[in-house]
Amino acid sequence: MDGEFVDCEDAKINILSHVVHYGTGFFEGIRAYKTEKGGAIFRLKEHTNRLYDSAKIYRTEIPYTKEEFNQAIIDTLKINNLEEGYIRPLIYRGYNKLGVNPFTCPVQAMIAAWKWGKYLGEEAMKDGVSVKISSWRRLAPNTMPTMAKASGNYLSSQLIKMEALVDGYEEGIALDYNGYVSEGSGENIFIIKNNIIYTPAMSGSALPGITRDAIVTVARDLGYDVREEGVPREMLYIADEIFLTGTAAEITPVSRVDKIKIGAGERGPITEKIQTKFFSIVEGREEDKYNWLTYIK
Ligand code: PPE
């Protein structure tokens, strides 16, 4: 926290901190995986870049260099004796005085790390999850920037998630302002139809996911035609396979959309192939040809 290691119980902030009242935070979710050469962080550089980009969009200068920040992330894993787990860095506006204007409040930083299993459940990785199209749309352009991974954006995610859970689904998929598919409450989405892989374009108000980028790269390398474009809602219903991607969710298949069975209603063959490839890369079981791993030691 702000350059020091403190126990979680002692990591306290003033209740009048700007972030508490106005959602003034920018965060990342990063995973580390156990490999034969010890723990390795997946795409650390890209996560730090996105964190600094999120802050920049909100005219916020992070008082550390990216190199210092990366080192602090590595040190947080080390001090917690974690070879694998989830890392949560957060930049936030602290306490000076309240009022919407954030400029007077200090820019503060924290990094935490813990073990986090499968986001949507162990069985979901094979059986898939049942999702609903949310009645909530993702943020419209020119309202709030979705390229920033900002704390306040997650109120939108919470509405999508709560509605899905209350209605008996495991996840919600939001459409964008124009009615095209955007993303899940905390995941990007991929749709496969006739061997072509589609994912909503950046104009679809989704977070530019780092896992999304990894999957686009890996799938193209495997020879698939991957298209980033507007995806109509009904493409989901007639898809052969669908999967969600995210740091927490990794690659989670979708079995049903609005109760309509997708393919065989479980993980499809292309999803399995990509999932297998992904885990083989992140767990260091094959050559790190994209330079995505940062070893902790
Ligand atoms: N969209 C949203 C809205 C999102 O929150 C995430 C990550 C993604 C897409 C995928 O991005 P990436 O992780 O870079 O591939 N969601 C994070 C937070 C989840 C949470 O419940 O907290 C995550 O996966 O870490």
Side-chain angles (χ1 to χ4, degrees):
M1 195 183 192
D2 297 328
E4 316 261 318
F5 286 111
V6 289
D7 284 333
C8 207
E9 312 79 81
D10 302 324
K12 301 209 167 95
I13 61 166
N14 191 304
I15 197 64
L16 296 183
S17 296
H18 206 270
V19 60
V20 179
H21 297 256
Y22 307 115
T24 329
F26 316 103
F27 71 95
E28 276 305 315
I30 310 172
R31 269 193 196 264
Y33 291 90
K34 206 182 253 179
T35 78
E36 269 194 343
K37 292 190 266 170
I41 304 170
F42 182 61
R43 306 199 74 177
L44 175 60
K45 193 163 49 73
E46 290 83 351
H47 279 286
T48 301
N49 284 339
R50 187 173 64 186
L51 181 65
Y52 280 67
D53 285 348
S54 298
K56 188 176 185 188
I57 291 168
Y58 282 90
R59 305 175 190 275
T60 300
E61 201 153 328
I62 298 177
Y64 303 97
T65 65
K66 289 182 181 177
E67 292 68 35
E68 287 170 328
F69 212 90
N70 287 342
Q71 192 56 49
I73 288 172
I74 295 170
D75 292 344
T76 305
L77 286 172
K78 279 189 181 158
I79 203 164
N80 282 290
N81 263 323
L82 286 170
E83 285 204 308
E84 60 183 333
Y86 186 83
I87 307 150
R88 169 55 57 82
L90 173 75
I91 297 291
Y92 59 97
R93 289 279 184 177
Y95 173 62
N96 180 39
K97 57 182 179 201
L98 280 187
V100 167
N101 174 17
F103 285 133
T104 68
C105 297
V107 179
Q108 296 186 251
M110 62 127 271
I111 303 166
W114 63 88
K115 287 224 166 157
W116 201 353
K118 298 299 176 209
Y119 188 59
L120 295 165
E122 190 71 49
E123 330 73 58
M125 300 305 274
K126 182 167 178 299
D127 301 345
V129 288
S130 170
V131 308
K132 77 165 278 179
I133 304 295
S134 185
S135 68
W136 293 100
R137 298 268 175 108
R138 272 313 254 171
L139 304 161
N142 256 340
T143 61
M144 292 201 26
T146 51
M147 287 187 81
K149 196 170 171 66
S151 301
N153 286 6
Y154 284 79
L155 284 170
S156 153
S157 290
Q158 289 177 49
L159 289 169
I160 296 162
K161 186 78 184 184
M162 288 190 292
E163 182 187 75
L165 293 177
V166 166
D167 289 353
Y169 300 82
E170 286 152 292
E171 187 54 282
I173 304 297
L175 304 179
D176 71 12
Y177 171 75
N178 291 308
Y180 291 101
V181 177
S182 177
E183 62 178 345
S185 72
E187 312 90 2
N188 292 111
I189 186 166
F190 285 78
I191 300 98
I192 302 166
K193 177 80 177 164
N194 298 331
N195 283 314
I196 298 171
I197 305 179
Y198 301 87
T199 193
M202 275 337 303
S203 53
S205 296
L207 182 76
I210 288 161
T211 321
R212 173 188 182 277
D213 176 78
I215 295 314
V216 168
T217 304
V218 164
R220 283 189 179 141
D221 242 14
L222 287 170
Y224 290 104
D225 178 358
V226 183
R227 303 187 187 173
E228 302 179 54
E229 58 186 48
V231 176
R233 171 180 184 157
E234 60 274 23
M235 263 290 274
L236 302 186
Y237 299 146
I238 60 173
D240 299 325
E241 301 178 37
I242 299 176
F243 60 87
L244 304 175
T245 69
T247 299
E250 298 168 306
I251 296 165
T252 304
V254 171
S255 58
R256 281 176 171 72
V257 180
D258 290 343
K259 312 230 159 129
I260 297 175
K261 206 202 295 187
I262 306 308
E266 56 176 23
R267 178 179 61 194
I270 297 176
T271 304
E272 184 173 1
K273 200 162 151 189
I274 291 172
Q275 207 186 41
T276 305
K277 185 85 182 165
F278 175 80
F279 282 108
S280 142
I281 293 171
V282 300
E283 291 167 2
R285 282 182 277 110
E286 64 180 77
E287 188 212 333
D288 181 19
K289 71 178 214 192
Y290 312 106
N291 224 342
W292 284 343
L293 302 185
T294 300
Y295 287 92
I296 299 169
K297 289 219 175 82

